[in-house]
Amino acid sequence: MIWAFAVAAAAILYLALRFRRFQSWVEPVLTIVVAIGLAAALLIWFVEDRGPSGTVATPTAETPVLSADVITLSEMQATVGQPKTSYRVTGQVTNSGTVPLQSFWLDVVLSDCPAGTCREVGRDDALIVLRVLPGESADFSTFAVFPGSDLTPITAPKFDYGIRNVRALTR
């Protein structure tokens, strides 16, 4: 659909360059085309966010529930990436629940702790999509980026990890 608006804008610009009388119409016509495109995008966004009945989708009683208490992280490591503001975060997730894990959000907090005094440098989060059966573990890898962490050198980095929004696998 976006290509239709791009073609219309290109045609309007071509006509403005080709015919002098059309130049006075360019700004109002392009404004209208952009407004129609934005309105269509907003309408599509609202329609796709709603379920078939017009209501926001909510979990049903059949949807398995998996809490963050039964998901544990271990062997967490962070290594400096390229650029130096990014870190490759690796670890292992264990599902101690009774239903399969589908995904979770990993929260990463970077602090600089020279001489035991910590100051927070930044926070980042990442969606980890990883299917883990009950009682099993799986390795994962992602990146965390801390913009501005290159402005002051980090001498003793310390990472804190947390999980939230755990989702169970639905069939």
Side-chain angles (χ1 to χ4, degrees):
M1 176 172 193
I2 211 164
W3 61 269
F5 292 106
V7 169
I12 291 167
L13 289 174
Y14 171 76
L15 291 172
L17 292 173
R18 185 87 169 128
F19 303 105
R20 286 249 183 245
R21 288 207 271 154
F22 195 73
Q23 286 180 353
S24 63
W25 291 69
V26 171
E27 185 177 353
V29 171
L30 279 179
T31 303
I32 291 170
V33 168
V34 168
I36 290 171
L38 289 175
L42 189 62
L43 179 66
I44 290 170
W45 180 54
F46 278 127
V47 169
E48 285 182 353
D49 204 25
R50 304 226 176 246
S53 64
T55 60
V56 176
T58 57
T60 62
E62 299 172 5
T63 304
V65 177
L66 191 61
S67 70
D69 300 337
V70 297
I71 306 300
T72 56
L73 300 173
S74 60
E75 301 178 24
M76 298 299 295
Q77 293 181 352
T79 54
V80 177
Q82 204 51 270
K84 290 188 177 190
T85 57
S86 71
Y87 291 83
R88 181 178 191 88
V89 178
T90 58
Q92 189 175 66
V93 61
T94 302
N95 180 1
S96 301
T98 58
V99 294
L101 169 69
Q102 176 178 332
S103 64
F104 64 93
W105 281 90
L106 176 69
D107 293 324
V108 182
V109 179
L110 171 61
S111 300
D112 187 21
C113 299
T117 306
C118 293
R119 81 170 165 83
E120 186 176 303
V121 175
R123 296 174 174 263
D124 197 7
D125 57 5
L127 175 62
I128 308 295
V129 179
L130 185 67
R131 293 191 172 93
V132 183
L133 296 175
E136 293 190 7
S137 299
D139 295 330
F140 69 90
S141 176
T142 189
F143 284 91
V145 179
F146 304 99
S149 63
D150 57 341
L151 298 177
T152 57
I154 299 173
T155 56
K158 177 182 177 251
F159 292 89
D160 291 313
Y161 305 99
I163 57 173
R164 63 181 163 84
N165 296 349
V166 177
R167 294 191 67 191
L169 180 64
T170 57
R171 296 189 193 239

